């Protein structure tokens, strides 16, 4: 981790809260260009929120997020839209448009933004679908696809405009081992073949450590550890050990905070 | 092909809306499309117009020949002036015609009854802008009852 | 202390109301204040006209027919006692044009199309389709909200006109075909009492305003839904309740302005 390649996204001392509920206190991280960066952490820690902050959908209370040197939250709406054409996001649910078939879903952003003639769009869409192995499913509706296929179709849509960066929100959650394997392979291949910057948010430890070039671990509203997968595996930090090893009790307690067990049991009802 | 079906249905929807509009305008409200100047104007002064309203009909023997187009107050004499918009098809009323405010039924709406007067060589016809001299005001029920009670009282 | 709590709660409710109105206003502003795009916008509008307008037609036409018939039947029973059953025509036509046409259509529309709009948007939000549009650098207000809004605003007045026309026809069926009122006097008295400006134009103004209110509430509830099944079901209910109440209150206001003198 001594010398990072060129940084694409950088967050500095970012804090964010929903109402009175503080989600991030002080998050500083940098995402290198052309690499797979993973952000891990227990569920409910605000990993999706982090992606939305990077994508400019949410505004931090303090601190900043820069994409390729531009502050995402200080630019105008049209500048933000210009930035978003360079990134894309794979949502946890896939978020395919339910009223269009797979082909039109993938073609959607192209038709909106590229201004290319329909014949060329058709070829691009078929190429993207071929890349995720769904060319045969082009005419199916999203509701006819399985969860894993929906996510692959959404991936084809995410890379349709050839973005520089793809944000993956829990790409492995709720997938069977086969589709999990397919997705891991796709993310790695796309990243290498297109020189994509990938940000993977996940709590599936083994998959993430398998594909990531660099890993940040989020807990307690901040980054508690970062490094290459090797460095993290060798770490002595107790919290990190508990998370990576998947131990039920440890620094992150099994029990939700409560008053003393014996006391509560013995207390008379009044 | 699905979009084609939607386009056709939406087209039919818009057309049915238009059709409903036209039915309401021409069949229900009975708006007459008048080409150019198909009406002429007459004036009449009354002492009391009772419940006469703008758009109340003007009838000759029950046939609608025009409508009240405006009701004003003569600024000097302080009596109501009614402007009538008469249908061009019904002309040639002599200037001796009388105009009275009548009521359809006991409690119904009030309208103007035009009674054509006698014709003679030296009597002219009413034309655009003329005034009907011979008018009978509305019967006001309260006044009638008052008069009736008054005459009853005198008899005793 | 308790009093201060009460005051604080009142203040919080007021602030939330203002925030809600502000959000709703911003949403509508963002949706309709931009250059129209005919090539891309027209197919979207057509689709929504189909969903919002065409699919509401059956319920509107059937309800209109029955309401006209019931109105005529009850009216006839009362009017015949005074020997003025010929006035059935204006009674049916004026009640439909001035009140029932716009109001009942708006209420049915809120139940049929408004709730569907809220549920659809709520589903799009909870499956992250709206976020996904944002991340594709496409403004969901323009792509999703605007065509639905315009479709509602175009459809409801047309539906109200259809409802009224069919209702008057229903009155004709009962009055003339069944109860034997003379067809000529039914229509002529009806025509003499209905006015183009006072009745038909006001009918359209009313239903246009109802359309704006109902569609706006439905879209706002859907767009700012809490993205889970419970949130969607509550938002759908809220759409129907709030837009019905808004329509009735607005109707009283408009009637007072138009016919209250």
């Amino acid at each position: 981790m001594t010398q990072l390649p060129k940084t694409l996204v950088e967050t500095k001392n970012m804090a964010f809260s929903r109402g009175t509920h503080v989600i991030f206190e002080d998050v500083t991280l940098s995402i290198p260009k052309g690499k797979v960066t993973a952000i891990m952490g227990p569920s409910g820690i605000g990993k999706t929120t982090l992606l939305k902050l990077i994508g400019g959908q949410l505004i931090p209370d303090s601190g900043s997020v820069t994409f390729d040197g531009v502050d995402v939250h200080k630019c105008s709406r049209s500048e933000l839209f210009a930035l978003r054409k360079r990134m894309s996001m794979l949502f946890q649910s896939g978020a395919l448009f339910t009223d269009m078939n797979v082909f039109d879903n993938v073609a959607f952003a192209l038709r909106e933004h590229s201004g290319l003639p329909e014949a060329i769009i058709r070829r691009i869409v078929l190429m993207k679908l071929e890349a995720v192995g769904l060319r045969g499913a082009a005419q199916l509706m999203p509701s006819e696809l399985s969860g894993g296929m929906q996510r692959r179709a959404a991936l084809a849509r995410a890379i349709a405009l050839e973005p520089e960066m793809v944000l993956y929100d829990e790409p492995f959650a709720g997938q069977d081992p086969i589709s999990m394997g397919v997705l891991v392979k796709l993310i790695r291949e796309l990243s290498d073949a297109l020189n994509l910057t990938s940000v993977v948010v996940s709590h599936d430890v083994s998959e993430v450590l398998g594909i990531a070039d660099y890993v940040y671990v989020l807990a307690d509203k901040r980054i508690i550890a970062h490094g290459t997968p090797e460095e993290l595996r060798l770490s002595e930090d107790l919290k990190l050990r508990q998370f990576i090893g998947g131990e039920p009790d440890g620094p992150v307690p099994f029990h939700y905070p409560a008053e003393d067990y014996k006391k509560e049991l013995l207390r008379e009802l009044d | 092909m699905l979009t084609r079906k939607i386009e056709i249905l939406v087209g039919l929807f818009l057309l049915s809306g238009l059709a409903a509009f036209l039915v309401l305008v021409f069949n229900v409200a009975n708006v007459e499309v008048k080409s150019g100047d198909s009406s002429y104007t007459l004036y009449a002064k009354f002492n009391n117009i009772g419940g006469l309203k703008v758009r109340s009909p003007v009838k000759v023997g029950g046939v609608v020949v025009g409508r009240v187009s405006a009701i004003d107050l003569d600024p000097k004499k302080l009596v109501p002036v009614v402007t009538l918009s008469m249908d061009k098809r019904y002309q040639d009323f002599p200037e001796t015609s009388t105009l009275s405010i009548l009521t359809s039924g006991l409690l119904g709406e009030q309208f103007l009854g035009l009674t054509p007067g006698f014709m003679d060589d030296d009597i002219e016809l009413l034309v655009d802008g003329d005034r009907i001299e011979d008018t009978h005001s509305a019967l006001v029920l309260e006044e009638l009852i008052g008069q009736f009670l008054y005459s009853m009282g005198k008899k005793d | 202390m308790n009093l201060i709590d009460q005051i604080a709660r009142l203040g919080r409710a007021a602030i939330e109301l203002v925030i809600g109105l502000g959000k709703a206003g911003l949403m509508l502003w963002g949706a309709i204040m931009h250059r129209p795009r005919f090539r891309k916008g027209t197919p979207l509008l057509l689709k929504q006209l189909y969903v919002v307008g065409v699919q509401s037609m059956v319920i509107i036409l059937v309800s209109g027919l029955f309401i006209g018939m019931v109105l005529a039947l009850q009216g006839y029973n009362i009017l015949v006692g005074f020997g003025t059953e010929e006035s059935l025509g204006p009674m049916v036509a004026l009640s439909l044009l001035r009140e029932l046409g716009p109001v009942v259509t708006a209420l049915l529309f809120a139940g049929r199309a408004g709730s569907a709009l809220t549920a659809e948007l709520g589903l799009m939000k909870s499956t992250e389709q709206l976020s996904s549009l944002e991340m594709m650098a496409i403004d969901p207000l323009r792509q999703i909200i605007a065509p639905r809004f315009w479709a509602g605003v175009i459809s409801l007045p047309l539906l109200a006109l259809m409802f009224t026309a069919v209702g008057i026809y229903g009155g004709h069926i009962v009055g003339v075909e069944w109860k034997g009122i003379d067809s000529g006097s039914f229509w002529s008295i009806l025509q003499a009492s209905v006015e183009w400006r006072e009745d038909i134009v006001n009918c359209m103004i009313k239903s246009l305003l109802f359309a704006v209110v109902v569609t706006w509430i439905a879209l706002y509830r859907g767009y700012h839904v809490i993205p889970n099944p419970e949130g969607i079901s509550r938002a759908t209910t809220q759409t129907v309740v709030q837009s019905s109440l808004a329509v009735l209150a607005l109707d009283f206001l408009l009637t007072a302005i138009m016919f209250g003198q």
Side-chain angles (χ1 to χ4, degrees):
Chain A
M1 69 157 290
T2 42
Q3 76 231 40
L4 290 171
K6 194 172 175 292
T7 312
L8 189 63
V9 175
E10 205 162 16
T11 74
K12 277 197 190 120
N13 308 105
M14 187 176 63
F16 181 77
S17 56
R18 276 216 163 93
T20 53
H21 179 55
V22 179
I23 296 176
F24 299 127
E25 265 176 7
D26 179 12
V27 174
T28 302
L29 51 81
S30 61
I31 291 161
K33 207 168 196 163
K35 301 281 180 189
V36 178
T37 306
I39 298 169
M40 294 201 300
S43 46
I45 201 76
K47 299 188 295 293
T48 307
T49 310
L50 182 64
L51 290 187
K52 287 193 169 174
L53 283 163
I54 294 175
Q57 290 195 38
L58 297 173
I59 298 166
D61 300 339
S62 62
S64 66
V65 179
T66 52
F67 179 87
D68 203 11
V70 184
D71 189 325
V72 175
H73 301 100
K74 291 228 170 73
C75 56
S76 72
R77 195 162 170 79
S78 52
E79 286 167 340
L80 179 61
F81 272 21
L83 283 186
R84 283 186 186 159
K85 284 178 197 167
R86 297 168 58 191
M87 55 173 105
S88 75
M89 183 157 169
L90 181 70
F91 287 86
Q92 191 170 352
S93 56
L96 293 170
F97 302 124
T98 38
D99 55 348
M100 312 176 181
N101 64 23
V102 172
F103 183 92
D104 290 332
N105 259 291
V106 178
F108 184 78
L110 285 167
R111 285 178 182 150
E112 285 291 324
H113 292 313
S114 70
L116 293 171
E118 191 61 30
I120 296 179
I121 288 180
R122 183 177 156 271
R123 281 193 200 121
I124 297 177
V125 171
L126 289 179
M127 276 152 63
K128 302 295 175 193
L129 283 174
E130 177 71 20
V132 299
L134 286 179
R135 193 165 45 83
Q139 298 306 320
L140 295 180
M141 297 303 280
S143 55
E144 296 171 284
L145 300 181
S146 73
M149 291 197 322
Q150 280 186 15
R151 225 163 277 185
R152 275 150 67 192
L155 183 56
R157 187 179 67 175
I159 57 171
L161 274 180
E162 319 236 321
E164 294 165 40
M165 175 175 78
V166 181
L167 307 167
Y168 298 89
D169 183 8
E170 299 282 3
F172 312 116
Q175 298 293 316
D176 63 70
I178 299 174
S179 15
M180 198 118 92
V182 171
L183 283 164
V184 168
K185 175 171 157 279
L186 277 174
I187 292 172
R188 189 71 246 178
E189 276 180 359
L190 287 171
S191 174
D192 294 344
L194 305 172
N195 196 27
L196 266 178
T197 307
S198 307
V199 181
V200 182
V201 148
S202 176
H203 51 229
D204 293 280
V205 176
S206 56
E207 282 73 23
V208 169
L209 293 184
I211 57 167
D213 296 313
Y214 202 77
V215 180
Y216 287 90
V217 181
L218 263 178
D220 286 345
K221 302 161 193 166
R222 73 188 84 223
I223 306 276
I224 58 161
H226 56 98
T228 60
E230 288 315 309
E231 287 168 349
L232 290 188
R233 279 203 189 95
L234 299 173
S235 166
E236 295 294 326
D237 186 89
L238 284 174
K239 262 187 199 167
L240 200 59
R241 294 232 61 82
Q242 184 193 358
F243 182 68
I244 291 178
E247 291 147 17
D249 212 351
V252 177
F254 169 71
H255 290 292
Y256 194 84
E259 73 172 299
D260 188 63
Y261 187 39
K262 256 189 215 158
K263 247 195 222 162
E264 185 162 9
L265 279 182
L266 294 175
R267 194 176 56 199
E268 296 294 327
L269 283 177
D270 39 30
Chain B
M1 254 338 37
L2 190 71
T3 44
R4 178 111 191 105
K5 187 185 139 212
I6 287 176
E7 279 168 5
I8 292 170
L9 285 171
V10 170
L12 285 176
F13 171 69
L14 296 177
L15 282 179
S16 355
L18 186 68
F21 178 73
L22 293 178
V23 163
L24 289 179
V25 169
F26 292 108
N27 213 355
V28 175
N30 204 20
V31 170
E32 286 139 35
V33 191
K34 285 180 180 162
S35 52
D37 193 25
S38 62
S39 69
Y40 63 102
T41 309
L42 297 177
Y43 299 95
K45 280 184 181 165
F46 291 91
N47 287 324
N48 189 329
I49 56 162
L52 197 70
K53 292 187 182 71
V54 173
R55 276 191 67 84
S56 292
V58 181
K59 296 182 181 178
V60 175
V63 179
V64 177
V65 296
R67 286 188 186 279
V68 173
S69 60
I71 297 174
D72 305 293
L73 196 66
D74 186 317
K76 280 178 206 148
K77 293 180 182 162
L78 298 176
V79 290
V81 180
V82 175
T83 311
L84 311 179
S85 166
M86 305 290 290
D87 196 327
K88 267 260 168 75
R89 285 178 297 167
Y90 307 109
Q91 285 186 350
D92 308 339
F93 295 112
E95 58 177 7
T96 52
S97 302
T98 56
L99 194 61
S100 11
I101 299 179
L102 303 172
T103 308
S104 56
L106 192 57
L107 301 167
E109 286 287 303
Q110 289 191 307
F111 65 94
L112 286 172
L114 184 64
T115 317
F118 61 90
M119 286 291 285
D120 211 341
D121 285 343
D122 55 347
I123 297 210
E124 288 178 28
L125 295 174
L126 289 169
V127 292
D128 188 43
D130 277 359
R131 198 162 75 95
I132 301 174
E133 302 291 342
D134 193 1
T135 60
H136 297 285
S137 288
L139 288 177
V140 180
L141 206 57
E142 293 90 325
E143 283 179 12
L144 278 181
I145 294 171
Q147 279 172 9
F148 176 70
L149 289 177
Y150 182 66
S151 59
M152 291 282 283
K154 264 206 303 198
K155 262 183 209 164
D156 291 338
Chain C
M1 191 61 212
N2 199 11
L3 183 69
I4 291 178
D5 276 353
Q6 295 287 334
I7 293 173
R9 197 182 302 165
L10 181 72
R12 192 163 58 232
I15 290 169
E16 269 163 21
L17 183 72
V18 172
I19 290 176
L21 287 175
K23 272 189 189 167
L26 280 180
M27 183 195 79
L28 194 64
W29 179 263
I32 64 182
M33 286 298 153
H34 54 70
R35 246 178 325 116
R37 312 171 297 170
F38 290 106
R39 203 172 57 79
K40 277 174 184 159
T42 312
L44 293 173
L45 180 64
L46 266 183
K47 174 120 194 284
Q48 291 311 315
L49 274 176
Y50 174 75
V51 173
V52 169
V54 175
Q55 295 194 338
S56 306
M57 243 173 103
V58 172
I59 185 173
I60 294 293
L61 293 181
V62 172
S63 317
L65 187 68
F66 278 107
I67 285 182
M69 284 164 70
V70 169
L71 205 57
L73 199 55
Q74 294 287 7
Y76 180 85
N77 287 341
I78 292 169
L79 291 176
V80 79
F82 299 99
T84 51
E85 63 269 24
E86 269 85 11
S87 305
L88 188 65
M91 198 208 87
V92 172
L94 290 182
S95 350
L96 282 171
L97 273 171
R98 290 183 175 178
E99 297 296 337
L100 292 174
V103 173
V104 176
T105 312
L107 294 179
L108 289 171
F109 186 81
R112 169 67 185 77
S115 60
L117 281 180
T118 304
E120 190 199 9
L121 279 178
L123 209 64
M124 288 178 107
K125 179 157 183 176
S126 69
T127 54
E128 298 171 306
Q129 291 180 51
L130 296 180
S131 283
S132 151
L133 277 173
E134 284 246 341
M135 287 305 293
M136 285 182 189
I138 293 164
D139 188 352
L141 292 177
R142 246 173 126 168
Q143 180 78 21
I144 304 291
I145 302 292
R148 283 167 176 74
F149 178 77
W150 289 121
V153 170
I154 294 170
S155 297
L156 184 48
L158 293 178
L159 289 169
L161 288 171
M162 290 181 210
F163 181 95
T164 308
V166 169
I168 292 174
Y169 179 68
H172 174 87
I173 293 177
V174 169
V176 175
E177 312 282 331
W178 183 9
K179 293 297 183 182
I181 297 172
D182 177 59
S183 173
S185 61
F186 180 91
W187 283 113
S188 64
I189 297 178
L190 191 159
Q191 287 169 353
S193 57
V194 174
E195 287 206 29
W196 146 252
R197 220 208 67 72
E198 177 142 329
D199 298 317
I200 295 182
V201 172
N202 279 350
C203 167
M204 293 181 64
I205 293 175
K206 269 190 178 181
S207 57
L208 194 69
L209 289 174
F210 294 164
V212 171
V213 167
V214 172
T215 322
W216 191 3
I217 290 178
L219 292 176
Y220 171 70
R221 284 286 155 222
Y223 193 66
H224 288 288
V225 75
I226 300 162
N228 58 35
E230 193 202 346
I232 294 174
S233 94
R234 200 165 48 200
T236 313
T237 315
Q238 275 179 333
T239 292
V240 177
V241 171
Q242 288 176 348
S243 47
S244 304
L245 290 178
V247 162
L248 293 171
L250 189 62
D251 180 55
F252 176 74
L253 207 68
L254 289 174
T255 303
I257 292 171
M258 288 168 174
F259 306 105
Q261 291 181 339

